[in-house]
Amino acid sequence: IDEGLVPNVITFATLMQLCAKCAARGRASVQDGLQVLDRARAADVQPNLRVFNSLMDVVAKSASHGDADALDGLSVLKRIKDEGLKPDTTTYNSLLEVYAHCAARGKGSLSDALKILQSMRGDNVARDAITYNTLIDLLAKETHSRGSARVAEGLGLIAV
């Protein structure tokens, strides 16, 4: 900007992708992603689906550290739809990744994720191998989380 360069949607998509990479390392948060979105709007740049998909990736990466949850992902999905954009396979796969990370902490379930799969069908969005692999991952994490809780209960460490 100092050099007379004006940021555009590609600039903010790249910044959001950088934010997602930082979130994967625990060095950025959903709030940081929302600030990138705010800066885009302040620069009179209309975020496109790529920017929002990268924001959903920020949520997924943050969820892997316990710093975001399914409500954060659903909030991004709502923003996408409120902007008049159509969520795509990437959008939903990242949202399912959020649910998988939540399931690993015992805060999500396959039944919740299947509702997302139904939303994909309702929005006429194609499912792909990543979609189903993420659901399998979620099931494994949910089963492991519940199994761990049962072991802890059996040892008298917790009451389930």
Side-chain angles (χ1 to χ4, degrees):
I1 295 176
D2 293 337
E3 301 293 323
L5 299 174
V6 179
N8 60 24
V9 72
I10 295 169
T11 308
F12 288 102
T14 303
L15 284 172
M16 194 68 81
Q17 289 169 340
L18 177 62
C19 192
K21 287 181 181 182
C22 290
R25 292 169 178 79
R27 296 178 176 246
S29 67
V30 175
Q31 193 59 39
D32 295 318
L34 293 173
Q35 286 179 0
V36 171
L37 204 59
D38 290 343
R39 290 186 119 176
R41 291 209 169 95
D44 228 12
V45 173
Q46 181 63 38
N48 62 13
L49 186 59
R50 185 171 178 196
V51 173
F52 280 104
N53 280 347
S54 294
L55 177 59
M56 187 69 83
D57 196 32
V58 171
V59 174
K61 302 308 186 223
S62 296
S64 73
H65 299 287
D67 297 329
D69 60 25
L71 291 177
D72 294 312
L74 291 172
S75 174
V76 172
L77 182 63
K78 182 180 180 329
R79 283 176 182 254
I80 290 169
K81 291 180 176 185
D82 289 349
E83 291 286 326
L85 299 171
K86 185 181 183 304
D88 64 6
T89 305
T90 301
T91 310
Y92 279 106
N93 285 346
S94 292
L95 181 57
L96 287 170
E97 184 182 346
V98 172
Y99 276 80
H101 291 306
C102 291
R105 295 186 320 278
K107 298 183 184 241
S109 69
L110 182 61
S111 63
D112 293 334
L114 291 176
K115 291 175 187 171
I116 299 303
L117 196 65
Q118 288 174 342
S119 293
M120 286 179 82
R121 286 188 183 116
D123 287 342
N124 204 25
V125 175
R127 277 100 34 226
D128 63 9
I130 295 170
T131 308
Y132 293 107
N133 285 341
T134 305
L135 287 170
I136 291 167
D137 183 47
L138 185 150
L139 180 60
K141 287 176 178 176
E142 178 189 39
T143 302
H144 177 74
S145 175
R146 272 195 272 143
S148 298
R150 286 198 180 107
V151 168
E153 180 186 26
L155 295 173
L157 300 174
I158 62 170
V160 180

